[in-house]
Amino acid sequence: QVQLVESGGGLVQAGGSLRLSCAASGRTFNLYTMGWFRQAPGKEREFVASITWSGLTIYYGDSVKGRFTISRDKAKNSVYLQMNSLKPEDTAVYYCAHRQQGIRDYGYWGQGTQVTVSS
């Protein structure tokens, strides 16, 4: 079991920045791929970014490329999402998730943190 806790959400004006954090606990020796997803009201969940625990493979969703940066700190068992040049359409609940090696789907999810970008 892996437990994930997000933090760092809040209210920011358009053009501003926020940094989300996700702390993992439990079976952290088995961490493989960490991802960030978001879901806005009335919309489907959207992939934002992912990073392998090795740090070698990183992916971004098209809507955040060039603005968001995902990173991880092995010593702290944490993954981060630096969000710059925020837009009102980035408003959503942001979720951290973990996917085990060899498993297609993300099986562990945090409770989410709200990000609101005002225009």
Side-chain angles (χ1 to χ4, degrees):
Q1 292 280 351
V2 174
Q3 293 79 43
L4 303 171
V5 178
E6 304 97 333
S7 61
L11 174 64
V12 64
Q13 288 188 332
S17 299
L18 277 177
R19 187 190 192 216
L20 304 183
S21 299
C22 173
S25 61
R27 297 173 68 88
T28 56
F29 62 88
N30 212 24
L31 293 176
Y32 184 65
T33 298
M34 302 295 292
W36 285 98
F37 294 77
R38 66 187 183 186
Q39 188 164 22
K43 295 188 177 181
E44 292 187 354
R45 187 170 60 198
E46 177 188 13
F47 170 77
V48 176
S50 67
I51 184 170
T52 53
W53 204 240
S54 65
L56 295 178
T57 304
I58 293 175
Y59 295 107
Y60 293 99
D62 289 340
S63 61
V64 306
K65 282 181 182 177
R67 299 187 299 122
F68 291 10
T69 302
I70 190 171
S71 62
R72 58 91 180 95
D73 185 329
K74 283 186 172 181
K76 296 182 179 180
N77 289 324
S78 294
V79 63
Y80 306 98
L81 186 69
Q82 178 65 43
M83 306 186 294
N84 298 328
S85 302
L86 283 162
K87 305 175 182 179
E89 50 264 44
D90 293 318
T91 296
V93 177
Y94 284 70
Y95 297 93
C96 174
H98 171 252
R99 181 171 67 87
Q100 292 178 289
Q101 186 174 10
I103 304 296
R104 185 190 69 178
D105 297 326
Y106 286 81
Y108 299 94
W109 294 81
Q111 82 289 350
T113 185
Q114 176 71 46
V115 171
T116 303
V117 184
S118 63
S119 56

